[in-house]
């Protein structure tokens, strides 16, 4: 060959899409292609394939495999003369290395591609059954199956049939194959075949007439005894037949396997019997089936065996399918299953996962099936097993927007085409987009992307997954807005009844009110209405993910009514990614946070990502500085305390919102896994906020009554949870008040001033207003309610020296200065340290007294009728159990273990473990119980808007507490069981540590 010719051929090959022109030249110069090497038609046809190099290589192998010169010449002649064959054969060879291998093993099978008749354009089950008719064993069945598959692939890659028709033909071929396999199994065991009636029900993609090239074929088996046969023996015979049929399709032979037959969608999955009678199936679905099992039955279709029994199965179960949407938590169950699928994808594969990843095929399928189950009850036109068919019916009926339906249809077809071509290459079951450039190039070209196949493929793929991601959830919610909006003439919309059905399925208790809210929010031509129409489909989804969607939507309407005319509000929700979802979570999680927000709706700004400070709790110092400055600017004490309470309300909202978002998680960040960290953040934030508020109130009262200096030094000492930095949303502020007359001030005057300060702080912090009151509780003072509200330092010293009881020393373990004169507070702390950390520890009489007190408290203070096992404070294994156990350790050992000298329960637990006083296991048990009980109390306050020490009894409130604690809809019982289990373990540790003599 001359260099000039080589150069010319090399260039032509490059121009026709060959990536290895040198190898292609050698193949074109081979003896097999000698008669046609200069035929421009051949080169043109090769260049039109997905992978010209692969097609040429496959063609040479096929020619080499021809049994003789006559067959060789017949193939070449037909190839050059008949364009349909040329396009089909080379198209397959350029797209599928696996089918090229089949042709090399069975070189006469190319003739299956010669026919070009009208009936050949859309083959059905009968044509495929004829193609498989001569198969008598698993090996010959595989050869015949591949020959039929060859014809489907050829018409697919040439564009003779589209992706939906290809999937339908693959399902029809699977149907014919299952029938052939069952016939082979029956021929091998005629006695078993005679003893039973066996029907094969296709499920999944096969049942939906939308099968892939390589996929598990999901089936369910139903059987009855033949006339006169014993049912037990008939079921055994049917099970043998079904098992043999599955092996015929699934097992590997010298011709490979066909596909796995998967019967795990049957009742009880792989733990249940392979074959059941119709009555057994019916009993299971009526009593035990989960929501996803009814979802799976959407695609049930009899395909093989006894046709009458198969039809009877579908007719018996179909009514149950269309009642599934009436089940409690129906939408939540379906969505949770979808999330679980995504969570199980390996992180390294999620970006390449075509089927299960975000914006993938499963998103479209789940959304469509959800809508079918909700509306197919009353509209039989929606009862299609095919995703695309159902999507078209949903759009035609107004159940999804027509434009949204069209865009999803386009995206689904593109993604399924990608999936088909990826699998066709090696005939392997995969849904991962290949990473190699050569594979992506072939894939892109197979889809008609020829200018820059790799770049175009990735661009189109990302575009379509983006469409699906944006639309698949909105698909469920957007038509609800259309139902109350003005639509263009001729545009279909949800009927009022269909809208009501959908809202009920989403968990709305009052769908009529919800529709009124939607109408108020989305109607009109204002910019506000336009933005809210855009936001609401997403917000409705987030509301539906809560325990109280009605409250979420109502609260959103209230906030929008209050802020809708402020330009920053709508801009915040539209432009700041986190704000809208954070708002939806906060508005639907309970009463406390929305109530705080409604009192000053501008706090919505805290939910964004920008300059509003976000949801991070503020440090004590800047908080106190802001409150003191506001109090300093006020004209009188009442105004100063009002300003302090306003800051407190805003910061309580910030803390509650951060807690809710951290507990629920968002689409971009999962829920906080460390429950203890959530408890610590809330406790620290609320305690710091309470201390800063008291400091501000003290400043305002003193300034209004005495100017800059009070006649007596004055300090506030935090006690209980306040001193321990463990306040919850509903906690009072337990405090002691201590004062010391300034030089030259009479004790009576100093005492009068101190008492007046306390009385005024009490009054102003509880005045009815838009801000929540701050209740001050000084009952832990010496002599309790009978003693003076304020004492001098000397009076405390005299009392503690002479009269102090062991419970008072115990209470002082959590004493910490929070506001007022720092020097006085320091000296008070020095005074009480020997009491709470006694030099000689505790004698046995003191220990017995503490135990007696605890027992009396449990018996006397537990509310009548309360379930002790669910009481977070006084119940076994609850807060009191853990705290008294820790405090007993502190009083006994803190004199020699400095780490125990802390007011914080969890820190003291950790210190006891470090000191060897607790095992790591016991520490973990006590810590888990304390954190859980604290979380429950916080949850109850967030949900009900008022404090409580036990779980709510109202189902929706109980469910909301469960959602806060990480339990999905319908799992409140699991939450209560887990609480009892956790506290039962803690109680066992408390029994050993608190009541054992050697503690």
């Amino acid at each position: 060959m001359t260099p000039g010719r080589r150069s010319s051929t090399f260039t032509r090959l490059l121009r026709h899409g060959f990536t290895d022109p040198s190898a292609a030249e050698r193949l074109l110069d081979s003896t097999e292609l000698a008669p046609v090497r200069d035929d421009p038609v051949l080169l043109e046809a090769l260049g039109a394939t997905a992978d010209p190099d692969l097609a040429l290589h496959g063609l040479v192998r096929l020619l080499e495999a021809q049994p003789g010169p006559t067959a060789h010449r017949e193939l070449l002649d037909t190839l050059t003369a008949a364009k349909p064959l040329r396009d089909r054969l080379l198209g397959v060879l350029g797209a599928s290395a696996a089918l090229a291998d089949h042709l090399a093993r069975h070189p006469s099978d190319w003739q299956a591609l010669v026919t070009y008749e009208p009936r050949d354009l859309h083959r059905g089950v009968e044509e495929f059954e004829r193609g498989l008719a001569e198969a008598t064993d698993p090996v010959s069945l595989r050869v015949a199956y591949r020959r039929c598959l060859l014809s489907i692939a050829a018409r697919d890659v040439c564009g003779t049939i589209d992706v939906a028709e290809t999937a339908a033909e693959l399902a029809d071929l699977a149907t014919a194959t299952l029938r052939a396999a069952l016939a082979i199994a029956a021929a091998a065991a005629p006695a078993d075949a005679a003893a039973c009636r066996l029907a094969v029900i296709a499920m999944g993609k096969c049942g939906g007439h939308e099968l892939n090239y390589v996929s598990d074929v999901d089936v369910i088996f139903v059987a009855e005894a033949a006339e006169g046969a014993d049912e037990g023996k008939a079921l055994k015979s049917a099970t043998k037949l079904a098992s043999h049929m599955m092996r015929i399709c699934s097992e590997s032979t010298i011709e490979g396997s066909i596909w796995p037959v998967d019967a795990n969608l049957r009742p009880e999955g792989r733990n249940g019997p392979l074959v059941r009678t119709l009555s057994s199936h019916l009993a299971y679905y009526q009593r035990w089936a989960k929501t996803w099992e009814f979802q799976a039955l959407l695609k049930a279709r009899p395909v093989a065996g006894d046709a009458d029994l198969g039809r009877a199965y579908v007719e018996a179960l179909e009514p149950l399918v269309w009642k599934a949407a009436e089940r409690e938590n129906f939408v939540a169950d379906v969505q949770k299953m979808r999330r679980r699928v995504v969570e199980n994808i390996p992180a390294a594969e999620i970006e390449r996962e075509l089927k299960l990843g975000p914006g993938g095929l499963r998103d479209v399928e789940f959304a469509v099936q959800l809508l079918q189950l909700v509306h197919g009850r009353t509209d039989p036109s929606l009862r299609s097993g095919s995703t695309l068919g159902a999507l078209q019916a949903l759009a035609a009926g107004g159940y999804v927007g027509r434009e949204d339906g069209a865009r999803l249809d386009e995206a689904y077809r593109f993604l399924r085409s990608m999936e088909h071509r990826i699998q066709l290459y090696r005939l392997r079951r995969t849904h991962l987009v290949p990473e190699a450039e050569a594979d992506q190039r072939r894939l892109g070209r197979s889809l008609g992307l020829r200018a820059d196949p790799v770049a175009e493929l990735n661009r189109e793929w990302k575009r379509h997954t983006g469409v699906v991601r944006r639309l698949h959830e909105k698909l469920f919610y957007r038509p609800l807005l259309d139902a109350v909006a003005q639509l263009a003439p001729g545009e279909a919309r949800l009927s009022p009844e269909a809208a009501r059905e959908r809202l009920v399925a989403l968990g709305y208790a009052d769908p009529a009110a919800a529709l009124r809210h939607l109408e108020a929010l989305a109607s009109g031509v204002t910019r506000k209405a336009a933005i809210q129409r855009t936001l609401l489909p997403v917000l409705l989804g987030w509301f539906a993910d809560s325990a109280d969607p009605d409250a979420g939507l109502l609260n959103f309407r209230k906030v929008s009514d209050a802020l809708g005319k402020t330009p920053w509000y709508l801009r915040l929700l539209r432009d700041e990614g986190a704000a809208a979802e954070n708002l939806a979570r906060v508005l639907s999680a309970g009463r406390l946070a929305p109530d705080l927000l409604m009192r000053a709706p501008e706090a919505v700004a805290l939910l964004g990502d920008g300059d509003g400070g976000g949801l991070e709790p503020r440090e004590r110092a800047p908080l106190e500085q802001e409150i003191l400055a506001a109090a300093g600017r006020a004209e009188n004490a009442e105004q100063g305390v009002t300003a302090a309470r306003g800051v407190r309300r805003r910061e309580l909202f910030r803390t509650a919102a951060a807690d809710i978002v951290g507990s629920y998680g968002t689409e971009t960040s999962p829920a906080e896994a460390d429950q203890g960290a959530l408890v610590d953040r809330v406790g620290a934030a609320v305690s710091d906020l309470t201390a800063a508020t008291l400091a501000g109130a003290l400043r305002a009262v003193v300034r209004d009554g005495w100017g800059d200096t009070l006649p007596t030094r004055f300090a506030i000492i935090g006690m209980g949870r306040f001193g321990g930095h463990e306040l919850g949303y509903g906690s009072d502020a337990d405090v002691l008040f201590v004062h010391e007359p300034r030089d030259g001030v009479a004790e009576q005057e100093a005492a009068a001033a101190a008492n007046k300060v306390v009385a005024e702080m009490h009054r102003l912090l509880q005045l009815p207003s838009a801000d929540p009151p701050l209740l001050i509780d000084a009952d832990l003072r010496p002599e309790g309610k009978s003693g003076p509200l304020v004492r001098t330092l000397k009076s405390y010293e005299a009392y503690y020296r002479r009269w102090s009881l062991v419970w008072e020393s115990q209470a002082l373990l959590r004493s910490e200065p929070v506001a007022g004169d720092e020097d006085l507070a320091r000296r008070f702390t020095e005074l009480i340290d020997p009491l709470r950390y006694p030099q000689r520890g505790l004698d046995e009489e003191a220990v017995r007294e503490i135990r007696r007190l605890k027992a009396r408290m449990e018996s006397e203070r537990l509310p009548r009728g309360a379930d002790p096992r669910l009481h977070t404070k006084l119940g076994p294994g609850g807060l009191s159990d853990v705290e008294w156990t820790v405090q007993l350790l502190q009083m006994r050992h803190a004199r020699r273990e400095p780490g125990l000298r802390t007011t914080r329960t969890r820190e003291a637990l950790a210190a006891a473990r470090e000191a060897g006083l607790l095992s790591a296991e016991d520490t973990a048990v006590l810590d888990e119980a304390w954190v859980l009980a604290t979380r429950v109390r916080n949850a109850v306050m967030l949900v009900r808007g008022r404090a409580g020490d036990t779980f709510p009894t109202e189902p929706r409130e109980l469910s909301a507490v469960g959602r806060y604690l990480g339990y999905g809809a319908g799992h409140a019982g699991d939450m209560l069981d887990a609480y009892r289990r956790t506290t039962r373990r803690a109680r066992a540790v408390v029994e050993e540590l608190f009541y054992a003599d050697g503690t």
Side-chain angles (χ1 to χ4, degrees):
M1 182 182 297
T2 65
R5 181 187 169 193
R6 179 180 177 82
S7 174
S8 171
T9 305
F10 191 92
T11 304
R12 272 196 306 147
L13 290 170
L14 276 176
R15 193 168 63 247
H16 280 94
F18 286 85
T19 57
D20 188 353
S22 298
E25 273 192 277
R26 287 193 295 274
L27 290 173
L28 285 169
D29 285 337
S30 65
T31 54
E32 281 72 21
L33 284 174
V36 295
R37 69 162 57 100
D38 294 320
D39 189 335
V41 171
L42 176 63
L43 199 57
E44 196 75 36
L46 286 167
T49 65
D51 187 339
D53 301 84
L54 185 68
L56 178 57
H57 184 256
L59 178 60
V60 171
R61 288 178 63 205
L62 177 58
L63 287 165
E64 288 173 342
Q66 294 306 307
T70 303
H72 183 280
R73 188 165 50 254
E74 183 186 2
L75 172 56
L76 276 182
D77 288 347
T78 311
L79 189 69
T80 54
K83 186 179 188 307
L85 171 76
R86 184 166 63 244
D87 291 343
R88 291 180 179 193
L89 178 57
L90 295 182
V92 167
L93 293 174
S96 178
L99 288 176
D101 291 342
H102 171 83
L103 285 168
R105 287 195 308 274
H106 304 280
S108 62
D109 276 5
W110 67 269
Q111 301 206 31
L113 304 180
V114 174
T115 46
Y116 195 75
E117 300 172 12
R119 66 183 176 85
D120 180 50
L121 295 179
H122 302 292
R123 291 190 167 186
V125 177
E126 291 180 5
E127 285 83 5
F128 290 127
E129 282 189 297
R130 282 196 292 272
L132 303 177
E134 296 179 9
T136 55
D137 57 64
V139 173
S140 60
L141 181 61
R142 280 152 177 70
V143 175
Y145 173 84
R146 289 283 196 286
R147 189 182 303 121
C148 293
L149 190 66
L150 188 65
S151 72
I152 297 175
R155 287 173 294 113
D156 175 19
V157 298
C158 290
T160 308
I161 52 177
D162 67 16
V163 65
E165 292 165 335
T166 301
E169 287 198 18
L170 288 167
D172 285 341
L173 175 56
T175 297
T177 305
L178 290 170
R179 292 177 182 178
L182 185 58
I184 293 171
D192 286 330
C196 65
R197 297 166 60 207
L198 174 65
V200 183
I201 311 297
M203 305 287 284
K205 284 193 161 27
C206 183
H209 247 101
E210 49 187 17
L211 197 61
N212 298 326
Y213 276 103
V214 187
S215 174
D216 291 359
V217 170
D218 296 309
V219 298
I220 284 178
F221 296 105
V222 57
E224 299 291 347
E227 192 171 345
D230 174 74
E231 184 177 284
K233 291 179 180 177
L235 282 175
K236 286 182 180 177
S237 294
T239 301
K240 289 179 188 175
L241 284 175
S243 299
H244 191 190
M245 186 204 83
M246 292 172 70
R247 290 196 303 276
I248 289 169
C249 296
S250 305
E251 285 181 348
S252 289
T253 69
I254 55 171
E255 286 291 337
S257 67
I258 301 175
W259 18 245
V261 176
D262 187 341
N264 288 337
L265 290 178
R266 67 186 184 269
E268 300 179 77
R270 55 170 55 94
N271 297 318
L274 182 64
V275 181
R276 289 175 184 255
T277 62
L278 178 54
S279 61
S280 175
H281 275 284
L282 197 55
Y284 174 84
Y285 282 106
Q286 286 172 333
R287 188 169 184 187
W288 303 110
K290 297 182 173 63
T291 298
W292 70 264
E293 293 177 281
F294 293 107
Q295 187 180 352
L297 284 172
L298 276 171
K299 297 184 181 294
R301 178 171 65 94
V303 291
D306 191 296
D308 290 337
L309 180 57
R311 278 193 297 274
Y313 173 90
V314 171
E315 288 169 4
L317 291 179
E318 190 175 40
L320 300 181
V321 174
W322 304 114
K323 290 180 181 176
E326 298 171 7
R327 295 163 67 94
E328 189 177 0
N329 302 314
F330 161 71
V331 172
D333 283 349
V334 174
Q335 291 174 333
K336 183 172 65 180
M337 185 179 175
R338 172 67 189 123
R339 282 194 294 270
R340 193 160 57 236
V341 168
V342 174
E343 287 163 5
N344 289 332
I345 304 171
E349 295 181 358
I350 194 164
E351 290 302 318
R352 296 191 296 125
E353 176 59 70
L354 195 62
K355 176 181 178 182
L356 303 177
L361 293 162
R362 190 55 62 84
D363 275 349
V364 182
E365 292 159 1
F366 263 61
V368 167
Q369 289 163 21
L370 195 58
L371 289 167
Q372 285 182 279
L373 288 168
V374 170
H375 298 297
R377 225 172 359 163
T378 54
D379 188 344
S381 72
L382 304 181
R383 299 177 185 180
S384 167
S386 153
T387 301
L388 289 173
L391 184 56
Q392 288 161 8
L394 287 164
Y399 300 100
V400 304
R402 193 166 293 171
E403 185 180 338
D404 288 348
R407 293 172 69 195
L408 272 183
D409 182 279
E410 180 190 8
Y412 189 76
R413 286 174 184 274
F414 182 85
L415 296 174
R416 281 301 302 270
S417 296
M418 279 184 71
E419 182 184 42
H420 279 184
R421 301 302 164 77
I422 290 168
Q423 293 183 350
L424 182 58
Y425 177 51
R426 293 283 185 197
L427 287 182
R428 287 181 185 159
R429 185 174 180 268
T430 179
H431 309 287
L432 293 178
V433 177
E435 293 181 286
E437 185 175 335
D439 291 330
Q440 290 193 8
R441 181 177 184 274
R442 180 183 58 257
L443 179 56
R445 284 175 59 91
S446 76
L447 296 170
L449 308 173
R450 297 301 172 94
D452 187 350
V454 174
E456 289 180 73
L457 172 70
N458 281 284
R459 185 167 57 247
E460 287 298 294
W461 171 34
K462 297 303 179 190
R463 180 174 74 84
H464 286 297
T465 55
V467 166
V468 173
R469 263 201 309 271
R470 285 192 301 275
L471 290 182
H472 92 275
E473 288 186 348
K474 293 181 185 179
L475 201 67
F476 202 79
Y477 309 107
R478 183 173 290 173
L480 289 169
L481 303 185
D482 292 342
V484 297
Q486 297 295 318
L487 298 185
E491 182 77 17
R493 72 164 77 215
L494 282 183
S495 67
E497 180 58 26
R500 191 197 70 79
E501 281 179 343
R502 193 171 298 194
L503 285 163
V504 169
L506 285 167
Y508 285 85
D510 188 350
L515 280 171
R516 287 196 300 273
H517 298 324
L518 289 175
E519 184 170 12
L521 287 161
S523 295
V525 293
T526 63
R527 177 175 172 274
K528 172 187 171 185
I531 292 176
Q532 289 182 160
R533 278 196 294 273
T534 303
L535 290 169
L536 275 166
V538 188
L539 289 169
L540 285 169
W542 289 324
F543 294 150
D545 191 36
S546 74
D548 196 348
D550 297 82
L553 182 56
L554 172 60
N555 288 331
F556 179 68
R557 181 179 175 184
K558 288 179 179 177
V559 172
S560 289
D561 286 347
L563 294 177
K565 293 181 180 177
T566 55
W568 62 263
Y569 166 67
L570 292 171
R571 190 166 60 244
L572 173 83
L573 296 185
R574 184 191 62 198
D575 298 340
E576 292 202 24
E581 184 174 5
N582 289 346
L583 179 62
R585 299 294 180 205
V586 167
L587 293 180
S588 56
R591 294 181 184 172
L592 179 66
D595 284 351
L596 291 169
L597 181 59
M598 296 310 167
R599 290 168 179 173
E602 64 276 3
V604 161
L606 299 176
L607 300 172
D609 307 320
D611 301 327
L615 294 179
E616 277 298 311
R618 296 176 66 198
E619 298 280 334
R620 161 93 180 260
L623 252 182
E624 191 167 311
Q625 186 177 11
E626 179 186 0
I627 288 176
L628 291 175
R633 290 191 299 270
E635 293 182 5
N636 54 48
E638 186 170 330
Q639 286 184 9
V641 174
T642 298
R645 289 174 66 182
V647 174
R648 177 171 176 264
R649 181 206 61 241
R650 182 195 69 209
E651 296 304 319
L652 274 176
F653 173 72
R654 188 197 306 268
T655 303
D659 190 19
I660 290 165
V661 171
S663 298
Y664 270 71
T666 65
E667 290 185 352
T668 54
S669 61
E672 170 68 65
D674 186 348
Q675 304 290 296
L678 285 168
V679 163
D680 290 345
R681 276 203 292 275
V682 171
V686 178
S687 300
D688 285 348
L689 179 54
T690 302
T693 305
L694 290 177
L698 177 60
R699 167 74 64 86
V701 169
V702 169
R703 188 166 171 272
D704 193 30
W706 294 271
D708 291 334
T709 307
L710 192 66
T712 185
R713 294 180 182 86
F714 188 90
I716 304 174
I717 311 298
M719 299 289 285
R721 294 190 167 281
F722 188 14
H725 298 258
E726 296 161 356
L727 283 180
Y729 301 111
S731 302
D732 295 349
D734 289 320
V735 297
L736 299 177
F737 297 109
V738 57
H739 79 104
E740 184 179 65
R742 294 187 186 277
D743 294 341
V745 178
E747 189 141 333
Q748 189 173 359
E749 180 189 349
N755 276 287
K756 186 174 180 183
V757 166
V758 171
E760 191 66 357
M761 286 179 65
H762 261 291
R763 184 181 74 84
L764 294 176
L765 287 168
Q766 297 180 50
L767 271 181
S769 78
D771 302 312
L774 174 55
L775 302 179
I776 300 173
D777 186 341
D779 289 354
L780 291 175
R781 65 188 184 270
E783 301 178 79
K785 292 180 180 178
S786 304
L789 201 56
V790 188
R791 285 178 183 260
T792 63
L793 185 61
K794 285 183 180 179
S795 175
Y796 276 107
E797 184 180 6
Y799 175 86
Y800 285 138
R801 184 176 64 248
R802 189 171 181 186
W803 305 108
S804 178
L805 300 174
V806 67
W807 74 263
E808 292 176 298
S809 297
Q810 183 183 352
L812 290 170
L813 282 167
R814 309 183 80 183
S815 170
E816 182 171 295
V818 293
D821 190 290
E822 292 181 6
D823 179 64
L824 178 60
R826 177 184 55 75
R827 286 185 283 132
F828 178 85
T829 301
E830 290 171 355
L831 166 68
I832 64 172
D833 274 353
L835 289 168
R836 55 182 177 176
Y837 311 132
Q839 189 61 34
R840 297 180 182 178
L842 291 178
D843 59 31
E844 287 307 308
E845 177 55 35
V847 172
R848 281 195 293 274
E849 176 63 18
I850 288 173
R851 289 171 178 162
R852 276 198 300 272
L853 282 169
K854 172 124 175 41
R856 195 174 76 198
M857 185 177 71
E858 287 178 12
S859 63
E860 293 179 0
R861 293 177 60 185
L862 193 69
R864 187 185 303 275
D867 182 351
R869 297 171 303 163
L870 295 176
H871 198 280
T872 59
K873 185 175 181 181
L874 301 176
L879 295 169
S880 177
D881 264 3
V882 177
E883 289 165 3
W884 282 58
T885 301
V886 170
Q887 289 160 14
L888 184 59
L889 287 170
Q890 287 180 286
M891 295 184 75
R892 293 187 117 172
H893 303 288
R895 68 189 186 282
R896 57 184 173 80
E897 295 294 344
L900 288 171
R901 297 172 198 169
T902 174
T903 62
R904 306 178 189 220
T905 303
R906 298 189 74 211
E907 278 189 11
L909 267 174
R913 185 195 66 223
E914 289 294 320
L917 301 172
L918 284 179
S919 69
E921 182 180 353
D922 286 350
T923 302
V925 168
L926 292 177
D927 186 70
E928 182 186 9
W930 188 89
V931 166
L932 177 57
T934 305
R935 290 269 290 155
V936 171
R937 292 180 100 203
N938 285 344
V940 169
M941 184 65 187
L942 283 169
V943 168
R944 303 180 69 194
R946 61 182 188 274
D949 290 318
T950 190
F951 289 88
T953 54
E954 199 277 319
R956 187 162 278 204
E957 290 180 346
L958 185 64
S959 178
V961 170
R963 299 305 298 277
Y964 173 84
L965 294 176
Y967 292 88
H971 289 275
D974 295 338
M975 170 183 65
L976 297 178
D977 289 345
Y979 181 84
R980 293 188 189 101
R981 192 165 52 247
T982 300
T983 52
R984 190 166 57 243
R985 288 199 302 264
R987 180 66 179 195
V989 173
V990 170
E991 295 277 359
E992 183 181 340
L993 294 173
F994 186 78
Y995 293 106
D997 289 335
T999 305

